[in-house]
């Protein structure tokens, strides 16, 4: 049984011991700006980690280093035990295994939703067209937008576009899904339709790193909450513990701000 | 009327339609070459390999900055005469091919710049999403970035093609003597009394060729614009 299928069969809320993503002493600068300061983070199979923290604290950068959309200065990042390759085909192969969902959806604007979802499997995995399309339609059905398959991204609502983007990532059978504020660009009434899809993924055992301020999602689906501030991981704990008894002043400040607005 | 019919008889000696066909065929061949070279140049320009980026910048700047006449003289006197680069036994064919290469290279620099402006209209997230699903740089460029860049740069590409249509007359420099400007010059020498009509005939021919290209590029750039 392959690791990918294994993930789906895990019982609800059970977390494996096998590390899917490991960051060890990761440092990252943008010029003089120290954005990731000695980050250590291990995410196990089936685990859902929510990353939370003030704007500019390095959450997006952390996500982006994991599939090497941003290179790191020093330290190690491993996916399923293997070091991230530098460039070229090996890196492309790794990225195919790690799904990424962006705040701004980033669906390919000139392609139909169906083509968006089949592109990766067809080009990166050489899946035949009809097989890729059948699976894409099943995925679109699963996220509730099968009837939008022939449309262009701009014809869909934000919530539908983000669900299409999730389907596009899932089509690669990723071992890990990265979500960078997937609901921040959405109108309030569309947030839940996206969160529901993410919760169901989490319940099925998908390994996920989710940058979000949606505490409801964290409480429903997260195994662990990681609090970042100024490039540092300041706190880690269960959602319950973090939200009710944050340890650091910065976490307390931050929670006070997001609760009272 | 008398004057017009005399002009008609006079012009019958010159194959004006064929002359225009020579320029149109030069446009088609050099335009295709320019699109291919321009696409390669712009792909190198955005590639992750810094030496390729440098080479592309150099290529584009050199051919954008040298006057077309100089490029064509180089093709004729250096490439053909000095280096003896020959493509066939027939020197007319050689001249034609040299003209196509010179025109193609020269205009490819403008196509590359037009495409680069088109690439700037494609949000970086498009390429990131493409890489994110495991596409290689070339796949992401070919399937995701360039198709959108083309749609975003149809107007400047159209302008380059229009410039190319007119610039094909410089093919006379490499010895393509059947094209319009050479034909016009020959006609003026033989019939100076018709100089105004001769001039009008050729000017009108170009207007008839150029206008549809302009209209097409405007309507395509509107119709194919990527909706975001
Ligand atoms: N490509 C970049 N170049 C320079 N600075 C950047 C870049 N991306 C992010 N930054 C800076 O790095 C810091 C962390 O950014 P980011 O990871 O986006 O934070 P977050 O997602 O937590 O808001 C910010 O100060 C931001 O301005
Ligand atoms: Mg961010």
């Amino acid at each position: 049984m392959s690791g990918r299928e294994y993930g789906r069969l895990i019982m609800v809320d059970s977390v494996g011991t096998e590390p899917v993503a490991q960051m060890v002493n990761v440092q990252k600068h943008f010029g003089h700006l120290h954005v990731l300061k000695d980050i250590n983070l291990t995410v196990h199979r089936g685990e859902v980690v929510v990353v939370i923290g003030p704007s500019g604290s390095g959450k997006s950068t952390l996500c982006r280093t994991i599939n090497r959309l941003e290179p790191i200065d020093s330290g190690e990042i491993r996916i399923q035990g293997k070091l991230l390759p530098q460039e070229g085909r090996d890196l492309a192969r790794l990225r195919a295994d790690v799904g990424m969902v962006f705040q701004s959806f980033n669906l390919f604007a000139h392609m139909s939703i169906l083509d968006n979802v089949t592109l990766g499997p067809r080009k990166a995995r050489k899946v035949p067209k009809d097989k890729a399309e059948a699976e894409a339609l099943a995925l679109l059905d699963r996220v509730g937008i099968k009837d939008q398959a022939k449309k262009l991204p701009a014809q869909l609502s934000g919530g539908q576009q983000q669900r299409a983007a999730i389907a596009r990532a899932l089509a690669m059978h990723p071992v890990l899904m990265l979500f960078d504020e997937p609901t921040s660009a959405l109108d309030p009434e569309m947030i839940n339709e996206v969160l529901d899809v993410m919760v169901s993924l989490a319940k099925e055992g998908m390994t996920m790193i989710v940058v979000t301020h949606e505490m409801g999602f964290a409480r429903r689906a997260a195994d662990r909450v990681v609090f970042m501030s100024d490039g540092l991981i300041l706190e880690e704990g269960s959602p319950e513990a973090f939200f009710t008894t944050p340890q650091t002043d910065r976490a307390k400040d931050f929670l006070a701000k997001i609760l009272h607005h | 009327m008398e004057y017009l019919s005399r002009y008609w008889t006079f012009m019958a000696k010159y194959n004006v339609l064929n002359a225009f066909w020579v320029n149109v065929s030069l446009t088609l061949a050099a335009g295709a070459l320019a699109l291919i070279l321009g696409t390669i140049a712009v792909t190198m320009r955005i590639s992750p390999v810094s030496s390729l980026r440098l080479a592309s910048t150099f290529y584009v700047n050199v051919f954008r900055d040298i006057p077309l006449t100089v490029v064509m003289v180089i093709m004729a006197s250096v490439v053909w005469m000095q280096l003896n680069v020959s493509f066939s036994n027939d020197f007319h064919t050689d001249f034609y091919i040299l003209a196509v290469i010179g025109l193609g290279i020269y205009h490819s620099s403008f196509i590359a710049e037009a495409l680069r402006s088109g690439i700037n209209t494609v949000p970086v997230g498009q390429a990131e999403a493409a890489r994110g699903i495991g596409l290689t740089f070339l796949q992401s460029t070919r399937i995701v970035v360039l198709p959108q860049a083309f749609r975003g740069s149809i107007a400047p590409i159209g302008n380059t093609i229009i410039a190319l249509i007119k610039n094909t007359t410089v093919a006379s420099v490499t010895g393509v003597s059947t094209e319009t400007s050479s034909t016009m010059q020959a006609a003026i020498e033989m019939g100076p009394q018709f100089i105004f009509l001769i001039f009008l005939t050729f000017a009108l021919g170009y207007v008839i060729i150029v206008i549809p290209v302009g209209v097409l590029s405007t309507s395509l750039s509107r119709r194919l614009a990527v909706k975001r």
Side-chain angles (χ1 to χ4, degrees), chain A residues 60 103 180-181:
Chain A
S60 295
Q103 179 174 346
D180 187 5
E181 302 207 28

Side-chain angles (χ1 to χ4, degrees), chain A residues 54-61 64 103 180-181 211:
Chain A
S55 167
S57 55
K59 308 179 298 294
S60 295
T61 308
R64 294 162 57 83
Q103 179 174 346
D180 187 5
E181 302 207 28
V211 178

